[in-house]
Structures are given as C-alpha cells and as structure tokens.
C-alpha cells in the first residue's frame, strides 16, 4: 500500500476485537491493530473502541495485501510530542489554557489539556484553604489553568488554578496594620498556636502566648471553626506573616513617651502578664511590660508564687528604674525601700535650681554642680 511507503495517515473503523488486538477496516480493506498499538498506555475496555473511527499508520502489508497491520499509537505519540512542545511554549509565556476535569483524587484533580493529563495539586487549587478538590470541582467541569511544571518528558505535568487568582498578600498592609482590631475564624491548632482565617487566602497566627489570660490552646472557646476577636500585632507582607493577639496591643511605640508618663518611685497599676522562673512580668500598658523580680518580693524560701499571683491579676507596683536604651522597666512591690538612682540626683538638682541661688550655702552650691556619672 502507498500509505505504508509514504508514511501517511489512513482512517480506519474498529469493527471487532480479540485477545491480541482490534479488527479494523481501512478503505474497505481489513486490517489488524495490535492491542499495544491502540493507546499510548494501557488500553481502555475493548467496547470503548468498537464502531469508532481513528487515524492509523500502516506498519506492515503482507500476503499481497491480505494481511495489513496498523498502529494508532504512532500517531498519538506524534500528537503528544506536538502537544508537549506547545505546552512548554505556553508555560514559558505564562498563557492560560482551557482544560476539563477528568478525575478527582485525595491530593487534587486531574485535568485534560490538549489530549494530555496534568495534575492540579490540592495546594494549587486556590489561594484560600481547600480541604478537598471536591469543594470546588466535579468531573467533566471545564476549567482554566496555568502550566507550572513539565517533568519526566511530559509524563508529569503540574497545573495551577491558584496562579490565576489575585495574590491577597499584595494589599495586606493596606487592609491591616499593627494595633487594628480583627475578627476571624479559627482554622486549626498547632503546637505553638492557632491559625486564624482573616479572609480568603490570608491566615494569621495567634501564638500560644497571645491567648487571653487564664486560657490555653485547648480551651473550649478556642476550637477550630469558632470566631475570635483581637488585635493585629505585626504585618509582614514580604514574609507573608500576620501576627495576632487576643490581648490588647499598642498602636504606637509606648517607649517614645515613657519618661513623661512614668517616673522612678511612682506607684502604678498593671496586669500580670506572665510568671517566669525569676520574676513576674507586669503589663503597664499595651506594648510596655516591666519585671517584678522575685528577689524584691521578700518571699520565704520555697514559697509558691503562683498561689499569690496569677496571670490577668491587677497589681499595684512601684517603678524602680527605666532603661530606655535597652527598653527595660524594673519594678518593685509597693512599700519597698528603693535604692538611690541617677534619677534621684537629677530630681534633687532640679529642686536646687528652682531656689534663689543667693540663698544657697556652700554645700548646696557644690551639690548643684554635681553631674551624674555615666
């Protein structure tokens, strides 16, 4: 046959089958297509091919044309190579391609694109959290995808639907800033905290240290699916992190005005934030926490501090000292005798300077010239 010598395609109709392959009629001439030559991979059920017309290539002509062997696989391989070449071009250009969902599995969905199948992994279905592909897709559904990876000569094609959605982190800094109130749904628990859904595609972390005082991660009010409210602690669009708190946080930097609001020796009220091995951290205001050392409490040896103090407890303390450079506030219990500090000397100097300098004695004048040592 000329078709064999020229390598041209012929159209044949499958009319029957046996264990070895399929009976085909090409232009009225009976031919045979071996089972291994009907598909690229394993053949489907034989009934699928019966009465269907396909393009074939003639492999052999024997016995004066009485025995003709044809192959569909060669044409499929050629089509596959052409499709892969086109997919590589599409991948490089970032074009969107139409496809059809062929099956849904636990880890994603398979989509047919131009005669080939690619996988949209669960992580590539959407920018919002998806537990199962069945939440979004069904078999036979037309979809649009992007080709993100072609591996093993085209045997593994990775697709993405997520890549077609707008990145919600692009404007996250415009939507939230430190100190803002938030409301979100608890998604899941981790060893170090809780993940909160802020909006589609945006999750924030509520660290274990930021749950309300007196509660832990296992509290019945902090179970997945429940709605929580609180404050945004930090927004980091570059690292895609949103830090949250259910304890009030500072909107600005409280350290900028700490010297005008708090004075050494002043009695102030605060809230027990944490009890550590060496002392009690007391929050004076959101973003400003001081340390009340155990050594300043004068407790007997072996005393159980947690019986007398608990997180969330309101407490009056004395400001012992403020170190703005290292951002540290040292506290003492009310009634404690504080040691002299540089602030004491400065305060004394200010009092002296307000008096009539003519009434100063020699000792007072000398003290007025003293400057605190660095």
């Amino acid at each position: 046959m000329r078709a064999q010598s020229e390598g041209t395609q012929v159209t044949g109709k499958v009319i029957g089958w046996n264990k070895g392959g399929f009976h085909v009629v090409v232009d009225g001439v009976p031919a045979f297509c071996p089972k291994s030559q009907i598909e690229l991979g394993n053949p489907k059920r034989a009934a699928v091919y019966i009465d269907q017309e396909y393009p074939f290539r003639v492999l052999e002509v024997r016995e004066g044309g009485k025995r003709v062997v044809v192959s569909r696989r060669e044409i499929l391989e050629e089509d596959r190579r052409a499709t892969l070449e086109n997919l590589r071009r599409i991948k490089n250009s970032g074009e969107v391609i139409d496809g059809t969902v062929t099956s849904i599995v636990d880890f994603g969905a398979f989509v047919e694109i131009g005669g080939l199948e690619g996988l949209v992994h669960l992580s590539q279905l959407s920018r919002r959290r998806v537990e199962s592909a069945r939440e979004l897709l069904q078999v036979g559904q037309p979809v649009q995808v992007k080709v993100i990876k072609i591996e093993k000569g085209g045997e593994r094609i990775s697709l993405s639907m997520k890549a077609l959605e707008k990145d919600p982190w692009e404007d996250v800094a415009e939507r939230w800033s430190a100190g803002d109130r938030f409301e979100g749904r608890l998604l899941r628990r981790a060893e170090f905290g809780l993940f909160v859904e802020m909006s589609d595609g945006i999750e924030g972390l509520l660290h274990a240290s930021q749950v309300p005082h007196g509660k832990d991660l296992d509290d019945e009010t902090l179970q997945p699916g429940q709605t929580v409210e609180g404050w945004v602690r930090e927004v980091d669009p570059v690292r895609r992190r949103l830090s949250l708190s259910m304890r009030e946080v500072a909107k600005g930097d409280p350290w900028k005005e700490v010297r005008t609001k708090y004075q050494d020796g002043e009695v102030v009220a605060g809230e027990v934030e944490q009890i550590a091995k060496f002392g009690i951290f007391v929050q004076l205001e959101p973003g400003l926490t001081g340390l009340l050392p155990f050594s300043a409490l004068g407790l007997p040896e072996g005393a159980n501090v947690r019986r007398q103090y608990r997180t969330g407890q309101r407490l009056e303390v004395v400001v012992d000292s403020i170190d703005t450079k290292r951002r540290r506030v040292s506290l003492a219990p009310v009634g404690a005798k504080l040691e002299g500090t540089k602030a004491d000397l400065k305060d004394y100097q200010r009092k002296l300077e307000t008096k009539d300098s003519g009434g100063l004695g020699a000792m007072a004048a000398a003290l007025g010239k003293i400057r605190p040592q660095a």
Side-chain angles (χ1 to χ4, degrees), residues 28-86:
V29 178
F32 185 74
C33 177
K35 192 175 181 180
S36 62
Q37 296 298 311
I38 196 72
E39 286 285 358
L40 284 175
N42 294 325
K44 303 179 181 72
R45 291 182 302 106
V48 171
Y49 303 98
I50 302 301
D51 292 330
Q52 300 296 317
E53 288 190 346
Y54 300 106
F56 291 92
R57 182 151 287 144
V58 179
L59 296 182
E60 294 181 39
V61 178
R62 299 178 186 174
E63 301 174 13
K66 292 181 180 180
R67 178 172 173 78
V68 179
V69 180
V70 295
S71 170
R72 179 173 173 248
R73 178 171 181 165
E74 281 197 3
I75 294 174
L76 292 176
E77 286 176 342
E78 291 173 5
D79 291 344
R80 183 175 181 276
R81 284 193 292 270
T83 300
L84 277 175
E85 179 107 14
N86 188 46

Side-chain angles (χ1 to χ4, degrees), residues 174-239:
E174 299 171 14
R175 298 161 67 186
W176 293 288
S177 58
D180 287 351
R181 296 270 315 181
F182 82 87
E183 180 178 298
R185 183 172 65 93
L186 290 175
L187 291 177
R188 63 191 185 281
R189 183 190 297 116
E191 187 177 333
F192 47 84
L194 301 164
F195 286 95
V196 180
E197 183 181 47
M198 303 287 284
S199 66
D200 284 351
I202 299 288
E203 293 182 12
L205 174 63
L206 179 64
H207 193 270
S209 64
Q210 296 303 316
V211 300
H213 293 303
K215 294 185 178 181
D216 56 31
L217 299 181
D218 295 324
D219 193 275
E220 60 180 12
T221 62
L222 298 175
Q223 299 304 308
Q226 294 181 317
T227 299
V228 294
E229 296 180 359
W231 291 266
V232 176
R233 295 183 67 207
E234 182 185 8
V235 180
D236 188 342
V238 176
R239 293 190 293 174

Side-chain angles (χ1 to χ4, degrees), residues 83-99:
T83 300
L84 277 175
E85 179 107 14
N86 188 46
L87 287 180
R88 290 190 179 96
R89 180 189 63 77
I90 289 172
K91 174 183 174 293
N92 293 332
S93 66
E95 293 177 44
V96 178
I97 186 170
D98 293 322

